[in-house]
Amino acid sequence: MSVLKVNEMFETIQGEGFYTGLPAIFIRLQGCPVGCPWCDTKHTWTLDPAFQTDTQQVLAKTSDSEQYFSADEHKLLSLFEQQQYHARHVVITGGEPAMYDLIPLTSLLIDKGYCVQIETSGTFEIQAHPDTWVTLSPKVDMKGGYDVLDQPLKLANEIKHPVAMQKHIDELDTLLARPVTNPEAMVYLQPISQQRRATELAVNTCINRNWRLSLQTHKFIGID
Ligand SMILES: C[S@@+](CC[C@H](N)C(=O)[O-])C[C@H]1O[C@@H](n2cnc3c(N)ncnc32)[C@H](O)[C@@H]1O
Ligand SMILES: Nc1nc2[nH]cc(C(=O)O)c2c(=O)[nH]1
Ligand code: SF4
Ligand SMILES: [Mg+2]
């Protein structure tokens, strides 16, 4: 059993990376110390117990807030039924989900027939069932002072790098050159905050390097 702090749980369409377009249940965990200046989920950063509240209040959220509920894997699975979700794909994101022991939750979900994906910055070792799809979005030189670890680079099924400037491409090249990095990992560039210049850089670099483009498609159509 492992108790997780959940900032949001909702059903939507995966908007990013390899599984773009697939209906998915998102579990957004609370807490992240990495400090990316352009992070689109800053409301998940704090781990202040003052923001703990009850499950129904969190599930009923209509806007971003620091409020979270605590639940173990069995409670989360029972909430899937209560919420009448249809998706067979589960995305565990955050915040930084690898701060938690995800072995009990990922194992239970895989045992129940779900496909499970985690979205992680690579700054903590991943504790998850080996069949979990790992989307690594590496974070280099951010304010929190964390480094990208070897283990997430090894486990990554896809490396989805947020980019706005050439230095981000250079950082990615350095990570791809590390001997531990999974040579089979698919490489995606994701423009930061839909900026025009970031998008141009991502498109041109994808064409030159034969990498893939990840747009945050949910933001273009205004869904969660
Ligand atoms: C909010 S993070 C949570 C999971 C984990 N902490 C991580 O960084 O991968 C989920 C994804 O959103 C990306 N992301 C966050 N803010 C973004 C932004 N403003 N523009 C583009 N991608 C962003 C992250 O790089 C990551 O791929
Ligand atoms: N639709 C949708 N797709 C996503 N893919 C990754 C997300 C994330 O915040 O981790 C995300 C998200 O917040 N919404
Ligand atoms: S690691 Fe992820 S959640 Fe944390 S600040 Fe960066 S983008 Fe946001
Ligand atoms: Mg998001």
Side-chain angles (χ1 to χ4, degrees):
M1 196 196 73
S2 167
V3 176
L4 305 171
K5 294 177 175 165
V6 180
N7 177 279
E8 288 186 290
M9 195 167 83
F10 55 96
E11 195 172 38
T12 185
I13 304 283
Q14 170 58 289
E16 304 177 18
F18 178 73
Y19 284 106
T20 295
L22 186 65
I25 301 161
F26 275 71
I27 301 174
R28 190 179 303 286
L29 300 181
Q30 189 74 22
C32 183
V34 178
C36 308
W38 38 260
C39 175
D40 61 9
T41 55
K42 289 190 167 124
H43 59 289
T44 64
W45 287 7
T46 171
L47 262 175
D48 183 345
F51 291 114
Q52 175 153 333
T53 185
D54 61 86
T55 307
Q56 292 312 319
Q57 206 166 324
V58 171
L59 293 177
K61 272 188 198 184
T62 52
S63 59
D64 292 347
S65 80
E66 286 99 337
Q67 289 194 314
Y68 68 87
F69 68 91
S70 293
D72 68 20
E73 61 279 6
H74 298 286
K75 167 94 183 275
L76 289 176
L77 187 65
S78 74
L79 287 172
F80 285 14
E81 258 170 50
Q82 186 202 85
Q83 296 298 105
Q84 299 185 303
Y85 293 145
H86 297 93
R88 303 301 298 160
H89 188 81
V90 179
V91 180
I92 306 170
T93 182
E96 180 40 66
M99 291 173 72
Y100 292 85
D101 176 5
L102 299 174
I103 293 172
L105 176 62
T106 53
S107 303
L108 179 66
L109 293 175
I110 287 167
D111 184 55
K112 297 291 176 190
Y114 289 93
C115 173
V116 182
Q117 173 177 15
I118 70 164
E119 303 259 352
T120 181
S121 61
T123 52
F124 291 80
E125 291 217 342
I126 298 163
Q127 306 166 74
H129 186 286
D131 293 347
T132 304
W133 180 275
V134 174
T135 301
L136 170 63
S137 184
K139 301 297 163 6
V140 177
D141 262 350
M142 297 303 174
K143 269 194 302 232
Y146 289 81
D147 281 330
V148 182
L149 303 178
D150 284 352
Q151 188 250 23
L153 284 166
K154 198 170 171 175
L155 294 184
N157 297 97
E158 60 181 310
I159 297 177
K160 185 182 69 183
H161 203 56
V163 292
M165 291 178 270
Q166 181 58 38
K167 78 161 186 184
H168 299 133
I169 313 283
D170 300 341
E171 287 162 359
L172 175 59
D173 275 328
T174 304
L175 292 170
L176 294 175
R178 273 166 65 171
V180 290
T181 303
N182 175 15
E184 310 277 297
M186 282 182 270
V187 179
Y188 283 86
L189 298 182
Q190 179 159 293
I192 292 176
S193 301
Q194 299 89 50
Q195 291 161 5
R196 191 175 57 81
R197 292 200 43 204
T199 306
E200 277 170 15
L201 173 69
V203 168
N204 291 334
T205 311
C206 283
I207 291 170
N208 286 334
R209 306 291 299 273
N210 227 353
W211 289 340
R212 298 174 189 219
L213 182 67
S214 171
L215 301 174
Q216 294 184 292
T217 51
H218 52 295
K219 295 189 181 175
F220 288 89
I221 57 173
I223 61 170
D224 286 341

